[in-house]
Amino acid sequence: MAKQNSSLQKGSACTNCRRRKIRCDGEKPKCGPCVNSSTAFSDCEYNDGNGLTQVQLLEDQISILEARLQELQNAGTKSLESIHKTKTKTQALMSKTISTAPGYDEPLSASGFEDLPPILRRILIHNFIMNCCWVGFFLHRDRFINTVLHFKGETPTFALLNTTYVWGNHLSSSHNSFEQESTLVSRALQSSAHSLSENHPQRVTQFIQAEVLLGNYFYLAGKTVEGKYHVTAAASLVLSAGLHKIRSSDTLAEQSGYFPQGLNSSALPRDSIEEGELIHAFWTVLILDSFWNTVHGTPSSISYTATSVRVDTPWALTMEEYAENPLDPNFRSSHTIHNFLAGLPDNADSPRALFSKGAILFERATFVGRQLKHDPISLESQTDFDILDTLIPKVISSLPPIDRANVPPLNYQLVINTLANAADIQLHLPLAPDNLLSRMRILNAAKAILDLINDWGFLPEMEFLDPMIAIIWTIAAQTFIDESIRLHQEGESTSLPFSRTDVLGFAKRVIEVMDAHSFPLMKLQLAQVKKSFEKALEA
């Protein structure tokens, strides 16, 4: 080694040793200092006079990506068309860059507690950040970027890092290695299982975030059992941590200022942004838990209608609001969901708040409609039905129209608007066969979903969709298919807004857009819808 070091020609050291200004032994394919270092310098390369190394080329591309990411973060002064072009170029470059990153086609470490090669790590993180809103990311984005890319503050837990790598890999290209994605998922599961034992000040919040990301990933992949497991784990922790009692007016719940007794010291926020992250964590988990448990036919793990799990946590604001205008220390909240279901005004109109309301209405409408069908003379069921029958249209009418000028991505806006209309269908669906008004109500709601599909479902920005969309579009398509069968059996009716030809055409249109979005859960739902559609045509 020493002999080779002394004879190493000037300029022949590897790029890492030159950057670190240490003596390189010139061993190939990897020099001794790089082999003996941590994974931070595992990408040992030499420039043998043939131009830039692969790592240098990739770093140049990453510099471009970072500049474009900064453009998106400072998008307020740019035209919307320019923003879209910038994002499209960035995503295209990302797909090209990731496929050539060191380690991309090589076996990765199976350990969830060893980081990835630095270039691959940065690329996956960048790609995740470009799409983080709709996958269930609730942390403060800029603060996350600073910790994970610029190493300012505590590095995220391995559980959170590994789940972002899974999503960054999944979103990067349609030609990803199955083996590599499987390894990344395995690493994420391994680190998530031990996340709460990591010594990190935000381990509770980041564990919840990791479980949310894993739950959404598995639902998107059509693995509903695994998805339910991770969402349930997140729901269990938000309850045990008392996140449903943040800012509670109930003095019995308080232990540390305006935080509940169940919120231990490892989860207490250090500033207004971390408080906002906890509030967002609760509502994000409630959205997923309420929606997917309803799909599974089971009650929500967060029994918000029960006195013992009364939700006092205020509706989520935008993360920017927590940073710029912290909540008053004396502010208290109480009966948040109870007041909403009672129709009391709350002026909560942030994207996360509207999404939460839609998920709550979807869950409540599904079970109240079934209860009234099962026991039509029940006064309690009829009262609950009447309240929702008024509240759902009120919420739908209050939703801002989908617009590129709005802050959330279009796919996030789409799921909020379609979810509220799906709640209307769920409330009236059990009654539709015997009630003309309910029959008209579900048809109009399904048509509203179809109108949103026609306007937005085929845009390039909709390349990636929330897995909830697969279920919602199935509900809309099945509504049209069932109506076509009823019209075939009963004959055309002038009392209804659409003919059999109309509803069959509507169903076919939903099938077309489902066919255009081929993620695994959508494929599973599409197969069911096509089978029902074929039976309707044969009727």
Side-chain angles (χ1 to χ4, degrees), residues 24 53 57 89 110 137 141 150 242 260 281 283 300 307 370 373 387 448-449 457 467 477 479 493 501 509:
C24 181
T53 67
L57 288 170
K89 289 179 181 178
F137 188 75
R141 194 177 76 157
H150 307 310
W283 289 111
S300 173
T307 305
R370 292 176 186 173
K373 174 70 174 180
I387 291 172
I449 293 174
T479 298
S493 171
T501 301
R509 182 61 172 167

Side-chain angles (χ1 to χ4, degrees), residues 153-180:
E154 298 91 359
T155 301
T157 62
F158 277 109
L160 179 55
L161 280 174
N162 285 325
T163 51
T164 61
Y165 297 156
V166 169
W167 273 108
N169 184 73
H170 179 79
L171 297 168
S172 61
S173 169
S174 59
H175 305 293
N176 291 333
S177 161
F178 174 77
E179 292 77 13
Q180 176 151 302

Side-chain angles (χ1 to χ4, degrees), residues 364-411:
R364 293 300 302 150
T366 301
F367 289 104
V368 167
R370 292 176 186 173
Q371 288 169 356
L372 187 59
K373 174 70 174 180
H374 177 71
D375 188 4
I377 63 173
S378 167
L379 183 59
E380 181 181 359
S381 295
Q382 186 62 59
T383 301
D384 290 343
F385 181 91
D386 291 341
I387 291 172
L388 290 170
D389 192 40
T390 301
L391 183 58
I392 292 173
K394 182 180 176 182
V395 170
I396 291 173
S397 65
S398 71
L399 295 175
I402 298 177
D403 193 333
R404 284 192 178 95
N406 293 338
V407 173
L410 291 178
N411 48 13

Side-chain angles (χ1 to χ4, degrees), residues 87 184 307 333 424 496:
K87 185 172 182 179
L184 290 171
T307 305
S333 179
D424 210 14
L496 294 168

Side-chain angles (χ1 to χ4, degrees), residues 6-26:
S6 62
S7 61
L8 195 64
Q9 293 182 359
K10 185 177 181 180
S12 298
C14 79
T15 55
N16 270 336
C17 288
R18 271 187 279 173
R19 267 199 306 268
R20 298 160 68 194
K21 297 183 179 179
I22 64 174
R23 187 178 295 276
C24 181
D25 59 24

